[in-house]
Amino acid sequence: MSWVNELIDLYEKNSDKIGIIEYRGEIPYVLLPPFHTTVTAQITVTIDEKGNFMNAQFVDSDDKLTIIPVTEKSGSRTAGKEPHPLCDNLRYLAGDYAKYYEDDGVCNELYISQLDKWVQSDFCHDKVKAIYLYLKKGTLVQDLISQRIIKLNEKGLIDDKENIQGIVQTKAFVRFIVRFSGIKFQQNVPDECWRDRTLQECYIKYVRSQEKEKGMCYLTGNTESISYLHSKKIRNEGDGAKLISANDSQNFTYRGRFISREEAFAVGDETSQKVHNALKWIIRKQGAFFDTLAIVTWESNRLSMPRWNADTASITAEYESVQDEDEWDDEWEDDWDEKEGNKVSDGNEITAQKFYRALRGYGKKIDNTSFMMLLGFDAATPGRLSMVEEKTLDTARYLENIKKWHESCEWIHAKWNGEKWIRFSGMVGVKDVADILFGIENKGKLEIVDKNSKKLYAEVAERLIPCIWNGHKIPYDYVNRAVIKASSPLSYKERKNWERVLTLACSLVKKYKKQENEQEEWRVALDKKEKDRSYLYGRLLAVADRIEYRTYDESDKARVTNAKRYMSTFSQRPFETWKVIEESIQPYMNKLGIAERRFYENLLDEICNLFKKETFLDNNANKRLDGLYLLGFHSQSYDLKKIKKKILKIRKRRSKR
């Protein structure tokens, strides 16, 4: 099936959610009925069933999203005067607008004329009739002034310097509440026009009764009413870019190819409505945004799936938050416990074992026919939206590829969860990759702050999608950039920021080595038998760093060790630089206790004995190190920290005795 059919199918499967306003955090979203759109309203006017004014108030900031009916032309209006059928801004609704602001009154005339046709039709609604009766009186602005909603200037005209929630008063959007009494009051129907499904259904029937000549829809092949004006607001409520647009009245676009636009491209009105409404809904519900790029994924059977762009900790936490204890697959968990290497004994809050457990939980719900869809949209120009990504993948394969991505990049990472730093085993999220590789330190965090550079979020996402979804190779320039940045610890004020760069570099180097040689597997756990030259030099650097750091007192904690100071040069000319570092750590070595000094001396000897003789030949001695030296550095540092923790635990036990 094409992406169009999938969006139509998505719309049909979620028809029970049509017209229901939901929230993603604090952001509202809704699956729109056909021939409707959403606007941000500033004023709510309440009237009774006979069209009598009751009161008016400002719209609450948490309840601004408003569903309104639209015509084919008003839904696409930019600078024209096409009125919306029911709710609109003051210029259209207020019969007395020209009394309080310079205006020709044409917009109000067009609006009342159009509303009158709906009222006179067989598909009129009681609320529509009440609104019509009220607006025919031409007292809207006067009523709003009496309620102190609209402010006048010294000339007695609407003050166009005053704003309502950031919108100039003259352009304020008005929505309606109609209060009923008697039998109608007892009905289980909301008074708010924008929540009333019966009103929405009346308008849908009214539009269908006026359908023009039908033709063949090029998207579905069905015969239906054709539309050449299509929806905007796809990525967000302020998005003016359209996915389908043709406004060339001079036929220049079709010259030499077609006679008219009908021959070039024709889309059914309701097909367009369903496709665009489903797309808006799913993007707001679960889309990921990378600057101007919006990427959305969904599962064909409406099942929740791990997010492709999330870090390992988030995937695990999101799964655990929606599961009951009796839903855990204990038998499967025991199987994993028996496998060597699946336990993470570093005290992490999020372990590799929990991640695999979550993926297994997701996998239990899928069937052989389900699949994942991915669509990506970006604006080529302010008015044109292009589809830049489209992928379809079996759900089982999707889960397997998510597992491989996090498994092949697995390292120990740290992230700020809003309250504290936590560590987890796995891979960081896609946005974190962009921030770490291309960001700078800002308010203690690594992030891309330059407005022009934010497009790098989209670039990183587009380049990593094939790696995550299809198992393609990691871009080498990302690996190289991470290694270079990790080799410059002095570039960072905050140690945590450099450590994030270091651990990402380790993940990318590990992934790169794995894809170059399937048998080459690197882990966080220190490999004391590894004889790779770069890995061993990294271990030496970590030991030198630890020796100097062990002699610091509390006032010295901010000092940078010689090992980190020479790190960049060390990666370029290791043999020469190690001599300098080794000499510089001797005074610090002498400050250590005898037992600790002997431990580090023996460790350095142990590492040096693993070097091959040919490593120190003239041609190889000073050869540049590859990214493996960072793995050796981090693994050795991590191992030394664990030794310290063990010693502290032993001392605590002895002191208790």
Side-chain angles (χ1 to χ4, degrees):
M1 295 175 72
S2 69
W3 63 273
V4 172
N5 296 111
E6 292 304 332
L7 285 170
I8 294 173
D9 185 56
L10 181 68
Y11 189 88
E12 299 294 347
K13 286 182 176 179
N14 292 278
S15 58
D16 58 319
K17 297 184 180 297
I18 292 176
I20 300 174
I21 297 177
E22 301 174 280
Y23 287 84
R24 180 182 180 182
E26 297 180 355
I27 301 175
Y29 63 92
V30 62
L31 182 59
L32 287 167
F35 316 115
H36 287 73
T37 190
T38 53
V39 295
T40 300
Q42 287 79 46
I43 301 172
T44 301
V45 171
T46 303
I47 60 176
D48 65 20
E49 58 191 299
K50 296 181 180 180
N52 297 314
F53 178 80
M54 297 177 70
N55 63 62
Q57 58 188 12
F58 295 117
V59 174
D60 188 80
S61 59
D62 296 329
D63 188 33
K64 294 190 292 186
L65 190 71
T66 306
I67 304 171
I68 65 165
V70 291
T71 65
E72 182 181 10
K73 292 182 178 179
S74 76
S76 300
R77 104 180 165 201
T78 51
K81 293 186 177 182
E82 294 295 332
H84 295 313
L86 190 63
C87 300
D88 216 317
N89 60 45
L90 285 175
R91 187 183 183 190
Y92 290 88
L93 302 184
D96 57 345
Y97 184 78
K99 295 179 182 179
Y100 295 92
Y101 197 79
E102 185 178 349
D103 187 72
D104 57 12
V106 174
C107 290
N108 179 252
E109 292 175 5
L110 291 172
Y111 170 83
I112 292 296
S113 174
Q114 180 175 267
L115 185 60
D116 181 65
K117 292 179 182 178
W118 186 4
V119 172
Q120 300 302 325
S121 73
D122 296 332
F123 307 98
C124 183
H125 191 277
D126 290 335
K127 289 180 180 176
V128 176
K129 188 176 295 184
I131 293 171
Y132 176 74
L133 291 173
Y134 170 65
L135 293 179
K136 281 287 287 182
K137 298 175 183 178
T139 61
L140 178 57
V141 174
Q142 179 183 327
D143 293 335
L144 294 177
I145 293 171
S146 68
Q147 296 289 309
R148 298 183 179 180
I149 300 295
I150 295 295
K151 297 179 181 179
L152 303 180
N153 58 22
E154 63 278 0
K155 296 181 180 180
L157 301 177
I158 299 175
D159 192 346
D160 54 12
K161 295 181 180 179
E162 290 287 338
N163 294 334
I164 301 176
Q165 297 177 356
I167 303 297
V168 179
Q169 287 189 125
T170 55
K171 297 182 179 180
F173 200 95
V174 179
R175 64 185 187 183
F176 294 95
I177 294 176
V178 182
R179 304 287 188 196
F180 288 93
S181 58
I183 297 175
K184 292 180 180 178
F185 179 74
Q186 303 297 326
Q187 296 177 355
N188 188 24
V189 177
D191 293 334
E192 298 89 346
C193 291
W194 62 95
R195 299 183 189 275
D196 190 343
R197 286 288 292 133
T198 63
L199 190 155
Q200 294 166 5
E201 288 297 329
C202 283
Y203 182 70
I204 292 170
K205 292 176 182 177
Y206 172 62
V207 174
R208 286 173 177 166
S209 70
Q210 297 179 311
E211 285 185 342
K212 51 192 177 183
E213 185 179 351
K214 297 184 178 181
M216 187 183 75
C217 172
Y218 283 26
L219 292 181
T220 62
N222 299 331
T223 301
E224 56 182 294
S225 179
I226 301 301
S227 174
Y228 294 96
L229 296 174
H230 301 280
S231 182
K232 51 186 179 180
K233 302 182 181 179
I234 294 175
R235 293 171 297 174
N236 53 65
E237 293 303 308
D239 189 9
K242 293 184 179 181
L243 188 59
I244 305 174
S245 177
N247 58 3
D248 185 1
S249 59
Q250 301 302 317
N251 297 322
F252 181 81
T253 304
Y254 320 110
R255 191 169 293 167
R257 298 179 181 85
F258 307 103
I259 297 175
S260 65
R261 66 181 184 180
E262 288 80 3
E263 293 183 2
F265 193 63
V267 180
D269 195 8
E270 287 212 39
T271 294
S272 175
Q273 295 273 336
K274 289 181 178 180
V275 168
H276 284 88
N277 289 349
L279 190 56
K280 293 177 188 178
W281 177 72
I282 197 67
I283 286 177
R284 288 158 176 74
K285 182 177 185 288
Q286 58 196 54
F289 300 92
F290 304 89
D291 193 28
T292 59
L293 173 65
I295 297 178
V296 64
T297 62
W298 71 90
E299 205 270 344
S300 59
N301 290 332
R302 299 198 294 178
L303 297 175
S304 61
M305 286 288 122
R307 292 182 292 128
W308 65 274
N309 59 306
D311 60 67
T312 313
S314 296
I315 290 176
T316 307
E318 287 168 8
Y319 179 77
E320 289 182 335
S321 67
V322 297
Q323 301 305 310
D324 296 325
E325 286 299 323
D326 58 356
E327 291 183 2
W328 290 112
D329 190 345
D330 294 328
E331 181 180 352
W332 181 83
E333 181 186 353
D334 292 339
D335 291 342
W336 270 97
D337 286 345
E338 294 172 3
K339 294 183 180 180
E340 184 178 355
N342 286 323
K343 290 186 178 180
V344 180
S345 57
D346 51 29
N348 292 338
E349 295 181 33
I350 309 296
T351 66
Q353 183 181 330
K354 288 185 178 180
F355 171 68
Y356 293 125
R357 191 181 187 186
L359 290 186
R360 174 66 180 222
Y362 283 116
K364 288 168 61 179
K365 302 175 184 179
I366 64 174
D367 58 42
N368 295 329
T369 61
S370 66
F371 55 88
M372 291 289 295
M373 281 290 300
L374 179 145
L375 298 177
F377 300 92
D378 204 351
T381 68
R384 297 290 183 271
L385 193 68
S386 60
M387 180 186 292
V388 297
E389 292 287 345
E390 180 197 357
K391 290 184 182 295
T392 306
L393 199 64
D394 291 343
T395 307
R397 177 61 63 85
Y398 172 78
L399 288 175
E400 181 62 24
N401 288 350
I402 290 291
K403 172 190 169 185
K404 286 181 178 178
W405 168 253
H406 289 264
E407 192 174 54
S408 60
C409 298
E410 183 184 357
W411 208 258
I412 302 297
H413 298 278
K415 77 169 186 176
W416 181 257
N417 69 352
E419 297 178 355
K420 62 179 181 179
W421 284 97
I422 64 169
R423 291 187 303 153
F424 64 94
S425 176
M427 180 55 173
V428 299
V430 172
K431 186 176 182 298
D432 290 327
V433 173
D435 281 328
I436 293 171
L437 289 182
F438 299 100
I440 61 174
E441 284 186 303
N442 180 48
K443 297 179 181 178
K445 298 189 299 182
L446 284 174
E447 58 184 359
I448 299 173
V449 294
D450 181 55
K451 186 176 181 180
N452 295 325
S453 297
K454 286 186 180 293
K455 61 184 179 181
L456 288 167
Y457 285 125
E459 178 189 311
V460 171
E462 289 178 357
R463 295 189 67 186
L464 290 185
I465 284 174
C467 306
I468 301 172
W469 273 66
N470 304 107
H472 290 181
K473 292 184 176 181
I474 195 80
Y476 178 71
D477 57 306
Y478 283 7
V479 181
N480 190 48
R481 184 178 182 85
V483 170
I484 292 173
K485 289 176 74 72
S487 300
S488 304
L490 297 182
S491 301
Y492 302 91
K493 294 179 181 178
E494 298 288 338
R495 182 172 61 88
K496 279 289 184 183
N497 290 329
W498 172 70
E499 288 179 350
R500 291 185 70 203
V501 178
L502 174 62
T503 55
L504 175 62
C506 290
S507 281
L508 296 182
V509 170
K510 175 184 177 179
K511 171 73 174 175
Y512 181 76
K513 291 293 182 179
K514 179 73 173 178
Q515 66 193 22
E516 291 297 307
N517 181 3
E518 189 65 28
Q519 304 302 318
E520 196 168 352
E521 185 69 48
W522 297 92
R523 298 184 182 278
V524 180
L526 181 64
D527 188 348
K528 297 182 179 181
K529 296 182 180 180
E530 178 57 51
K531 296 184 179 181
D532 181 90
R533 169 180 174 271
S534 295
Y535 191 83
L536 292 175
Y537 267 124
R539 288 186 63 187
L540 287 175
L541 190 67
V543 175
D545 178 67
R546 190 67 184 174
I547 289 171
E548 184 172 345
Y549 187 78
R550 285 290 294 123
T551 64
Y552 290 174
D553 54 31
E554 287 298 323
S555 61
D556 293 328
K557 293 300 182 182
R559 280 176 54 189
V560 179
T561 64
N562 285 293
K564 289 190 176 76
R565 184 175 290 111
Y566 289 111
M567 196 169 184
S568 180
T569 308
F570 180 79
S571 66
Q572 303 294 323
R573 300 188 299 277
F575 184 72
E576 289 180 6
T577 313
W578 174 245
K579 292 180 181 178
V580 177
I581 295 174
E582 190 173 25
E583 290 173 0
S584 69
I585 63 172
Q586 292 308 314
Y588 301 102
M589 187 81 85
N590 295 332
K591 292 182 180 180
L592 299 174
I594 296 176
E596 190 172 3
R597 182 168 67 246
R598 286 180 179 174
F599 168 77
Y600 286 118
E601 288 174 346
N602 292 336
L603 182 56
L604 289 172
D605 290 340
E606 179 185 322
I607 296 171
C608 289
N609 289 335
L610 291 172
F611 279 96
K612 298 176 183 177
K613 290 182 180 179
E614 53 267 26
T615 300
F616 301 105
L617 296 178
D618 292 339
N619 294 334
N620 296 322
N622 233 12
K623 189 172 70 173
R624 179 178 178 176
L625 301 176
D626 64 26
L628 278 179
Y629 96 92
L630 293 174
L631 274 66
F633 176 85
H634 189 264
S635 294
Q636 182 65 72
S637 298
Y638 193 68
D639 188 70
L640 290 172
K641 289 177 183 177
K642 288 199 296 182
I643 291 174
K644 179 185 176 183
K645 289 180 181 179
K646 289 180 180 178
I647 294 173
L648 291 175
K649 286 182 180 179
I650 293 172
R651 288 177 178 174
K652 284 183 179 179
R653 289 174 187 170
R654 288 177 178 174
S655 63
K656 288 180 180 179
R657 292 176 185 174

